[in-house]
Every structure is written in C-alpha cells, then in structure tokens.
C-alpha cells in the first residue's frame, strides 16, 4: 500500500469523539442481538432458561453428585455399589478409571500397552506433519512409509526384542486409526485412478467399468460391504486360505472409500479449465506426463477441503466395524459397558468415546475450513 | 442450437474416416489394446473368484439359489406392517417385512430431518445471537460424532427410562417407558376410508381452484382468494363425509395390565432410538445445506423483490426459495440417500430392518451370497428411486435458460 493511500485512510477515519450512546457497548450489543423485538426477547428468555436449567443439572450429574473412584473388594474386583446408589443423579467416572486402558488399547498385553500408545502418537504426528503445507513434497511419501512401517513393527512386534502380539489381541483406538489411515492411504491412489478412468474419453470400456464401480458402491450401505467382507470374502479365496478379519474389513473399507473419494477427485478434474488440458496436449506431453505434471497437481489442490470433509466421514464410519465384531474404539467401549460389574454406566463410556471422536473430527474440520479460507483468499486476490 | 441449423458449406464435409494402422504409434490401436487388456484382466480375476467360490460352496455343501425364500422362516419379528407369523410364514415374507421396516424409518426420518434441519439452518442465520450460536453448536457437535455412537447412546438412554408401572404419562393416553411410547390408536372403520377419499378429492379440488385463480389473475390482474375454497374442500368436505357416515370415533387406549400395556399403538424403543439418532444426525447436515442455499441468493434479489412491492412472504415464496432450492436440492438428495443407507445401522440397536432380517436369514440358511445380494439389490433400488425422483424434481425447478 502506498504512502498516500495510507494517509487517505487515516484522514477518512472517524474522529475520536465518543460515539452516540446506545450504539456500542455491551448493553447496546445485548439489545441488538438478544432483545431486538418482543419475539426475539421471548426466544432468548426461553432458551436462556433451558440452557441454565440443563447446564446446572448436567453439572450436578457430572461433577457434584459424581463418583470418582470405588473401593476394590477382596477378589480384586471393583465394587460399584456406591455408583449404583448415586446412579440416576450422579455420574460414575470410576468406570473410566477402571476401564480406560481396555477401551483405548483393547486386550493388548497390559505391560506392553506403551506400544499401541506410541502408535497413536505416531499416527497423530503423521497427521500433523501431513497437514503442514511446508511438508507437501515428495518426501512426505517417505515419511508415510516410514511411519506406517514403524507402526506395523510396534503393533506386531517379533523383531527388535519386542514380543510378538497376534492381531486378534489388538483393539481400541489403534484399530480405529489403522482402519482410517491405511484405508485412506490405499483408497486415495485408487480413487485418483478411478476418477481419471471415469473422465477418459478414449477408453469407453474403462469408463463404463469405473462408472459401474462408483455407482454400485455408492448405492449400497457400508454395512453390506462389511458383511460381504466378513461372510462372502472367505468364499472367494482358494480353499484353505483365510485372511484375517481385520484385513478383510480393511479391504472392504478401501473399496468403499475409493468410490466416494473418486467422486470428489472427479469434481476437481472437472473444475479445471479446459485450456490446461489443451495446453498440455499442445506441449506434446504424453497422457501420464500431462496428468502427473499439469492436471493432478492443480485438480487435487482444488479439492483439498472437500477431501478433508470426506476423510472426516470415513474416520467416523470406521466405527461401523462394530457390527462385524472388530475391536475398534466403539466396540471396546461397548464391551466395557456391558461388563456385569459396570452394567448401567454406558453413557459415561459413550461420553468419553464421543470426546475422542470429536477431538479428531473437530480438528480436521477446523483445519479444512482454515485451508478453504486460505485458498479462497489466494484466488480472490 | 447450432446442431439444428446445418451450415450448407459444411454439409458435404465428413470427418475423414481413420484407418487402423497396425503400429504402436497409432493411438487408436493403443486404446483398443489397453481396453482389451484391462477387460481381460478383470474377467480373469472374476473367473478366478467365481471358480474359488464354486469350489468352496461344494466343499461346504451349500446349494445356491433363491429356493430358501419359500422355506419357513421361524424368525420372530417384533414390528411388522403386514401380518407376519414366524410359525408358518416364509423367509421371502420376512424380507418383505424387513424392507417395509426400512422404508418406515427412511420415509419418516427424511420428513422429520428435513423439518428439523431447515429450522436449524434458518436458526443459524437468525439475528438472535443465542439462537445462531446454539444452532452452530448443534451442527458442529453432531456432525463430528459417529452416527453409530449416537444411535447406541439414544438406545441406552431410552432403556434407562422407568418401567411400565412407573412410566411417565400424559393424562391417561400417552405413556413413556422403557417399553417405548404408547399412544392411543384410532379404531379404523370403513367410514374413515371414505373420509380419506374425500380429503384426497378435496386436495385435487383445491389444486384445480388454485389453477383457476392463477388464470383469472393473469386475465384480470385480480386474484380471487383461494383459502375459503381450500378450507371448505380440505376440512369441510371430509368432515361432512365423516358425519354423514355416522361420525364413528373410538380410540383404543393403552391400558396397564400386569407388567405391560395392552392395546394402543406402540413406538418401540428400537425404532425410537433409530429414528431420533438418524433424524438429529442428518438434520445437522441438512441445516448446513439450507444455510448455504439461502446465503447463495444474492441480497440484491431480496431488495429487488421489496422494490417491486412484494410482501415478505411473497418475496420468500416467489423470489428467494426458487433460487435457494436450486442450490439446495442436489446435496439434499445425497443426504436423503445417506439417511436411508444409515438406517441399515438398525442392526446395532436391534430394530429389524432388511439388513437385520437378511443377516439372520443368511446365518440360519448359510446362503451368504444370496442374502447379501438381496440387501444390495434392495438398497440399490431405493437409492436409484430416490435419485430418479430428485433428479426429476431438480429438472422441474431448474433455471430455464434461453
């Protein structure tokens, strides 16, 4: 901004006289935003009353009447009678104190649970690094490979002096993160191929296959695919070969996610001006050069915000594996809540699970909105 | 329009017919080779899987085919819209009951989610700060939690309600307990069918009258009032028909009998939890769609409508909504589809929708492939029907460009 323009703005700025009363200040704000008509006033009062009433009863339930710990009886079992006497009026947080390790890490050997904990940290680190624009380079791929390998080593063990832990003992948050991360890591490249195939004009047969794949998968619920993975997949394999449950669910999840991501990527491909395609052709680039160097870098950048929104959806959808009995976060929570000693305190556990899911999803959606703002600012310059 | 008016200078020219050259540098040949290779690979994979499946089925002595549909089901089904008795009805009928149960959740859910979502979407644009903030918190909160978690939460909550003897009641008619909501039910007789028919006739008559009014308005500039005729046709006419047939009106009240209720209509806790969960979850998405649709209408349009002297109601109906709907309809369609597909989570709360009944069937009969094929066929049909309808509606309201 030039010097003269800045001077003009300073000159045009209002003088420092006090503004007229009743236009600014908290009282004026209240009048403008909460009590600007009798209708608005009535709504404000009603909602305010409900918020205060429910807020107070929630505080009473969650803090004042809550039970934070329970004694352990002679068998080493927690004794939840205190919780039961306080039950409808007060929360029982003792169930979380007793069960949080099981909810987070499933039946992973107790002394070894630092390994899944480390995995969770690795996953979070991976997300943070992938979210930072200064790391959006080819080296990011290496970081992903390294991190996913490290996670595999930590979970399975059997090398580097770590004990071997079979896959059916994994559970909790690492399973949710594994399903989401591996699912997206494999679904994304597949979705780009499918989107390109759907857009191709020279290969009608490929286009038909891609359209059929996307529309079929998008037309059926994820559950039916998971059922397919759990009961039909074993029939597809050669006699005697039976891949484990988690892998089967993972494959179903990848196929599901790829169909939805492909539609998002296709949106980006369509939004790109035709001139970009023609210019690449005019330069004499081959199809893959054109796609890799000109089209995809621009098209994918356009669709990052909707991609992140789709990622949020898949992160939530991993919870559906509960129905085919895979020990993800929601399943371990549900098992913990159905334990005889703690029966009737499911809501406390669901609240904890809700907070965990919310933190991940809210972080992603905040990030996606920030990116959107940044991109639109760059476009509207 | 250029296609219809042929340029006489171009009529003689046809694109030169390409001859296929047997050389790798010919793109046409390359395309054909690639497609043949890809289709061949796909066919090989499918052939391999089908071969494996046949061998597996033989090894497990499972006969394929849909013959099991006519076998006796023996699945007890709590909620059914058509009569169902597990002792002699078949798997086929059980699946139809399941499809109807799915539709029952989907149709009611779509209507309720649209109403709730529209209210919250408008609420986010409210000038009242508290309403706008609360709507924003609702949308952010519910969108960031898995819908399955919400369903389990609602189901858990409905189960902690008191038992039938200590149920919360509204007079002697409505009871809320852990057995669900009990409401009085109208004793349905022939007269009610006639009343319904009279009402439908009234709807047709009102539409015809409104059309006549529009034509009169176009001719004379004065619109005859529609509402007296509408009132008479929609309320008066059915009421008259009902009164003429003796005005039968008996309610079947739920009565506490021992440990449970007898009579009346029930909304089971399973159905209630599924419906509440799906509606509140989907409403959060619909609210965002409605909000962005309304915001997409430029302010100038509203100002122009006011300048033309349209009253706020007319401006909303004639100027804002038609433009907002154009933005709203396509994403709304996918939300309706999502709600329908999410209703398959019923299996987690024990509501017997088509997925739940089909999975019981495939566990009992071992017909995994057929069971899953049936589930997929049902959902594909529902999805395609909804998208066809919404596409038709979208084309109906689309901008007609000259």
């Amino acid at each position: 901004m030039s010097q003269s323009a800045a001077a003009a703005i300073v000159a045009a700025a209002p003088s420092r006289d006090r503004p007229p009363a009743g236009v600014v200040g908290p009282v004026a704000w209240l009048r403008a935003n909460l009590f600007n008509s009798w209708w608005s006033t009535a709504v404000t009062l009603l909602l305010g009353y409900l918020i205060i009433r429910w807020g107070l009863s929630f505080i009473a339930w969650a803090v004042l009447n809550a039970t934070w710990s329970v004694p352990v009886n002679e068998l080493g079992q927690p004794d939840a009678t205190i919780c039961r006497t306080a039950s409808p009026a007060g929360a029982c947080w003792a169930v979380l104190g007793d069960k949080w390790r099981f909810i987070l890490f499933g039946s992973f050997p107790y002394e070894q649970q630092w390994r899944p904990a480390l995995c969770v940290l690795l996953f979070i680190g991976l997300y943070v690094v992938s979210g930072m624009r200064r790391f959006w380079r080819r080296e990011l791929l290496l970081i992903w490979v390294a991190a996913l390998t490290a996670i595999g080593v930590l979970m399975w063990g059997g090398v580097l002096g770590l004990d071997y832990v079979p896959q059916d003992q994994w559970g909790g948050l690492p399973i949710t993160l594994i399903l989401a991360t591996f699912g997206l890591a494999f679904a994304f490249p597949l979705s780009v191929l499918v989107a390109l195939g759907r857009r191709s004009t020279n290969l009608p047969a490929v286009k038909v296959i891609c359209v059929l794949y996307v529309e079929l998968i998008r037309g059926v619920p994820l559950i039916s695919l998971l059922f397919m993975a759990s009961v039909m997949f074993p029939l597809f394999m050669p006699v005697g070969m039976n891949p484990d449950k988690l892998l089967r669910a993972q494959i179903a999840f990848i196929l599901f996610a790829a169909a939805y991501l492909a539609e998002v990527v296709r949106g980006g491909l369509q939004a790109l001006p035709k001139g970009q395609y023609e210019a690449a052709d005019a330069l004499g680039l081959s199809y893959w050069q054109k796609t890799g160097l000109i089209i995809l870098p621009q098209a994918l950048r356009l669709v990052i915000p909707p991609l992140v929104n789709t990622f949020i959806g898949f992160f939530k959808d991993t919870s559906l594996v509960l129905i085919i009995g895979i020990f993800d976060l929601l399943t371990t929570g549900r098992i913990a809540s159905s334990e005889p000693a703690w029966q009737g305190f499911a809501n406390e556990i669901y609240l904890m699970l809700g907070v965990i899911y919310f933190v991940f999803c809210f972080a992603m959606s905040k990030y996606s909105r920030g990116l959107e703002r940044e991109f639109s600012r760059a476009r509207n310059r | 329009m250029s296609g219809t008016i042929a340029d006489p200078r171009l009529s003689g020219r046809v694109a030169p017919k390409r001859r296929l050259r047997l050389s790798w540098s010919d793109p046409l040949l390359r395309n054909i080779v690639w497609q043949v290779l890809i289709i061949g690979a796909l066919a090989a994979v499918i052939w391999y899987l089908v071969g494996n499946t046949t061998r597996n089925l033989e090894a497990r002595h499972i006969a394929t085919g849909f013959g099991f549909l006519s076998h006796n089901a023996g699945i007890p089904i709590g909620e059914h819209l058509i009569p169902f008795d597990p002792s002699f009805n078949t798997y086929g009928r059980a699946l139809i009951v399941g499809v109807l149960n799915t539709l029952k959740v989907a149709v009611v859910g779509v209507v309720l989610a649209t109403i709730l979502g529209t209210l919250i979407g408008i609420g986010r644009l409210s000038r009242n700060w508290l309403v706008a903030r609360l709507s924003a918190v609702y949308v952010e909160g519910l969108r960031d939690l898995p819908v399955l978690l919400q369903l389990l939460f609602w189901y858990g909550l409905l189960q902690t309600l008191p038992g039938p003897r200590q149920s919360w009641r509204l007079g002697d008619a409505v009871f809320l307990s852990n057995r669900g909501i009990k409401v009085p039910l109208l004793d349905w007789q022939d007269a009610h069918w006639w009343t319904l028919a009279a009402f439908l006739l009234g709807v047709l008559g009102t539409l015809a009258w409104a059309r006549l009014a529009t034509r009169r308005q176009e001719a004379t500039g004065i619109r005859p009032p529609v509402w007296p005729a509408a009132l008479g046709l929609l309320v008066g006419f059915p009421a008259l028909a009902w009164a003429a047939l003796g005005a039968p009106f008996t309610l079947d009240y739920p009565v506490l009998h021992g440990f449970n209720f007898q009579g009346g209509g029930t909304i089971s806790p399973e159905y209630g939890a599924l419906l509440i969960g799906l509606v509140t979850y989907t409403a959060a998405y619909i609210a965002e769609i409605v909000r962005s649709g309304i915001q997409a209408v430029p302010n100038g349009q509203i100002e122009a409508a006011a300048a033309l002297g349209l009253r706020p109601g007319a401006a909303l109906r004639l100027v804002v909504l038609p433009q907002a709907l154009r933005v709203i309809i396509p994403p709304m369609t996918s939300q309706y589809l999502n709600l329908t597909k999410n209703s398959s989570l019923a299996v987690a709360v024990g509501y017997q929708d088509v997925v739940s009944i089909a999975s019981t069937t495939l566990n009992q009969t071992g017909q995994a492939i057929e069971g899953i094929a049936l589930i997929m066929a049902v959902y594909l049909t529902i999805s395609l029907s909804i998208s066809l309808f919404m596409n038709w509606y979208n084309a109906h309201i689309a901008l007609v460009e000259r």
Side-chain angles (χ1 to χ4, degrees), chain A residues 67-70 78 80 83 91-103 333 336-339 341-350 352:
Chain A
T67 317
W68 299 91
S69 60
V70 290
C83 277
C92 177
W93 300 119
V95 59
L96 297 185
D98 185 42
K99 288 268 121 189
W100 69 274
R101 297 265 300 244
F102 175 76
I103 295 172
S337 74
S338 63
E339 202 166 288
W342 294 112
Q343 217 144 44
F345 305 110
N347 283 348
E348 284 84 345
I349 291 176
Y350 289 150
M352 168 184 163

Side-chain angles (χ1 to χ4, degrees), chain B residues 24-57:
Chain B
W24 192 240
S25 61
D26 181 5
L28 201 61
L29 180 87
R30 282 206 307 259
N31 288 341
I32 292 174
V33 169
W34 279 122
Q35 291 184 73
V36 168
L37 282 180
I38 289 172
I39 291 179
L42 204 67
V45 169
I46 290 173
W47 183 75
Y48 172 73
L49 294 180
V50 169
N52 279 334
T53 313
T54 346
R55 270 190 296 282
N56 274 312
L57 289 175

Side-chain angles (χ1 to χ4, degrees), chain A residues 71-325:
Chain A
V72 176
N73 65 14
E74 58 274 11
L75 294 168
Q77 297 289 322
D79 185 9
T81 29
I82 311 180
C83 277
R84 274 181 219 295
T85 51
S87 174
C92 177
W93 300 119
V95 59
L96 297 185
D98 185 42
K99 288 268 121 189
W100 69 274
R101 297 265 300 244
F102 175 76
I103 295 172
L104 284 183
F105 305 123
S107 40
F108 208 87
Y110 197 79
E111 318 76 53
Q112 301 279 324
Q113 283 183 357
W114 59 270
R115 281 158 54 181
L118 201 59
C119 283
V120 170
L121 290 182
L122 265 174
F123 272 124
I124 293 172
L126 194 60
Y127 303 151
V128 171
V129 166
S130 314
M132 289 202 279
R133 297 181 69 174
R134 97 176 69 134
F135 289 104
W136 288 3
R137 285 185 268 143
R138 277 171 208 286
E139 288 81 4
L140 190 59
L141 206 65
L142 290 178
I143 298 181
W144 269 71
V145 171
L148 294 186
T149 316
I151 287 164
V153 168
L154 277 172
M155 289 304 283
W156 257 301
V159 287
L160 306 173
L162 296 169
D163 291 339
Y164 172 69
V165 179
Q167 188 260 305
D168 50 7
Q169 292 183 13
W170 305 0
L173 190 53
I175 291 276
T176 295
L177 296 178
I178 285 172
L179 276 171
T181 315
F182 280 83
L184 291 174
F186 285 97
F188 184 61
L190 180 61
S191 76
V192 172
L193 284 181
V194 171
L196 289 174
R198 205 178 166 168
R199 291 269 297 159
S200 90
T201 46
N202 298 332
L203 306 174
V206 174
K207 185 174 174 176
V208 168
I209 294 172
C210 292
V211 170
L212 273 182
Y213 164 69
V214 170
E215 296 305 327
L216 273 182
I217 299 269
R218 279 162 38 102
V220 299
L222 174 56
I223 289 210
S224 65
L225 290 176
L226 289 175
F227 269 136
M228 199 167 150
S230 78
V231 293
M232 261 165 87
F233 209 82
L235 292 176
F236 289 161
M237 290 289 109
V239 180
M241 190 179 140
N242 199 6
D244 66 64
K245 225 175 180 180
L246 183 65
L247 182 64
R248 278 162 15 207
Q250 183 77 78
I251 290 173
F253 201 71
I254 290 171
L255 290 178
F256 177 77
Y260 280 81
L261 289 175
E263 284 299 276
V264 177
V265 173
R266 187 167 73 105
L269 292 176
Q270 273 173 352
L272 212 58
K274 217 174 155 199
Q276 296 290 330
Y277 290 86
E278 292 165 354
D281 284 336
L283 285 176
L285 298 180
S286 77
Y287 177 79
W288 290 112
Q289 282 174 326
K290 176 173 82 171
T291 308
L293 298 173
I294 312 282
I295 307 301
L296 281 184
Q298 300 183 70
L300 291 183
R301 187 167 285 249
L302 277 178
V303 292
I304 287 175
L307 273 182
V308 178
N309 286 339
T310 323
F311 289 174
I312 297 176
F314 292 133
F315 186 77
K316 290 186 294 180
D317 280 346
T318 54
S319 60
L320 263 61
V321 295
L322 172 122
I323 286 162
I324 56 168

Side-chain angles (χ1 to χ4, degrees), chain A residues 33 36 40 43-44 202 204-205 216 218-219 221 227 231 235-238 260 316 319 330 334 354 362 369, chain B residues 31 35 39 48 52-53 56 127-129 140 143-145 148-149 281 285 341 344 348 355 372 379-380 383:
Chain A
N33 292 303
N36 59 1
S40 176
V43 171
T44 303
N202 298 332
L216 273 182
R218 279 162 38 102
F227 269 136
V231 293
L235 292 176
F236 289 161
M237 290 289 109
Y260 280 81
K316 290 186 294 180
S319 60
L330 191 55
R334 207 183 182 198
F362 189 68
R369 235 166 302 157
Chain B
N31 288 341
Q35 291 184 73
I39 291 179
Y48 172 73
N52 279 334
T53 313
N56 274 312
R127 274 166 58 198
N128 187 317
W129 180 84
E140 288 301 323
R143 281 203 313 178
D144 286 342
L145 294 174
L148 187 56
L149 179 68
Y281 180 74
Y285 285 89
K341 284 185 275 173
S344 60
V355 172
I372 287 167
Y379 278 99
L380 278 177
S383 301

Side-chain angles (χ1 to χ4, degrees), chain B residues 33-339:
Chain B
V33 169
W34 279 122
Q35 291 184 73
V36 168
L37 282 180
I38 289 172
I39 291 179
L42 204 67
V45 169
I46 290 173
W47 183 75
Y48 172 73
L49 294 180
V50 169
N52 279 334
T53 313
T54 346
R55 270 190 296 282
N56 274 312
L57 289 175
E58 271 168 21
R60 297 174 196 196
H61 305 293
I62 301 174
T64 50
F66 288 94
F68 70 96
L69 286 179
S70 56
H71 296 176
N72 194 349
I75 310 171
I77 300 179
E79 286 176 66
H80 36 80
L81 289 176
I82 54 173
F84 182 82
D85 187 343
S87 57
F88 59 86
N89 280 134
T90 59
Y91 281 116
R93 194 173 175 90
L95 284 168
I96 292 172
V97 170
V99 172
L100 289 177
N101 278 348
T102 296
L103 289 177
K104 185 167 111 181
V105 166
V107 170
V108 178
V110 160
V111 172
L112 292 182
T114 308
I115 296 170
L116 183 63
T118 308
L119 286 180
I120 292 169
I122 294 172
R124 267 197 98 166
L125 298 172
S126 164
R127 274 166 58 198
N128 187 317
W129 180 84
L130 197 60
V131 174
R133 289 312 308 170
L134 273 183
S135 308
V137 167
Y138 176 91
V139 169
E140 288 301 323
L142 266 78
R143 281 203 313 178
D144 286 342
L145 294 174
V147 60
L148 187 56
L149 179 68
Q150 298 187 31
L151 289 180
L152 292 177
F153 170 78
W154 286 115
Y155 189 54
L157 208 65
L158 290 184
Q159 299 242 293
T160 56
L161 288 174
R165 280 161 169 275
Q166 291 85 35
S167 59
W168 299 342
R169 55 175 60 194
L170 202 72
D172 259 344
V174 182
F175 298 88
L176 180 64
S177 71
N178 59 8
R179 304 284 173 89
I181 303 172
K182 286 277 179 186
V183 287
L185 210 60
L186 184 66
D187 191 16
W188 196 260
Q189 295 172 8
D190 281 350
H192 296 115
W193 284 116
W194 287 113
T195 313
L196 199 66
F199 177 74
L200 290 178
L201 269 179
V203 170
L204 289 180
T206 311
L207 288 179
W209 180 262
R211 208 165 222 193
L212 206 72
T214 309
R215 207 163 299 153
R216 179 78 65 79
Q217 184 182 19
E218 280 163 2
T220 62
I222 301 163
R223 185 178 178 85
V226 176
W227 67 266
L231 196 70
L233 284 168
L234 291 179
V235 180
F237 185 44
L240 224 68
W242 179 62
L245 287 165
F249 183 73
T250 32
L251 284 179
D252 181 15
Y253 285 100
V255 180
L256 189 62
H257 203 273
F259 288 103
N260 209 343
F261 292 100
Q262 294 200 327
T266 316
I267 300 172
S268 69
E270 290 82 20
Y271 181 72
L274 186 65
L275 194 65
I276 297 174
L278 289 180
V279 164
T280 48
Y281 180 74
T282 313
Y285 285 89
I286 289 181
E288 278 302 274
I289 293 169
V290 169
R291 178 178 71 103
S292 63
I294 293 175
Q295 280 179 334
V297 179
N299 229 356
Q301 295 284 331
I302 299 159
E303 290 162 1
L308 284 176
L310 290 182
R311 269 174 276 163
L316 186 72
R317 195 160 45 83
L318 299 173
V319 177
V320 178
L321 270 188
Q323 299 188 57
L325 275 183
R326 230 167 264 146
V327 183
I328 289 175
I329 294 290
M332 203 75 131
T333 311
S334 60
Q335 283 314 316
Y336 290 167
L337 290 175
N338 278 347
L339 189 145

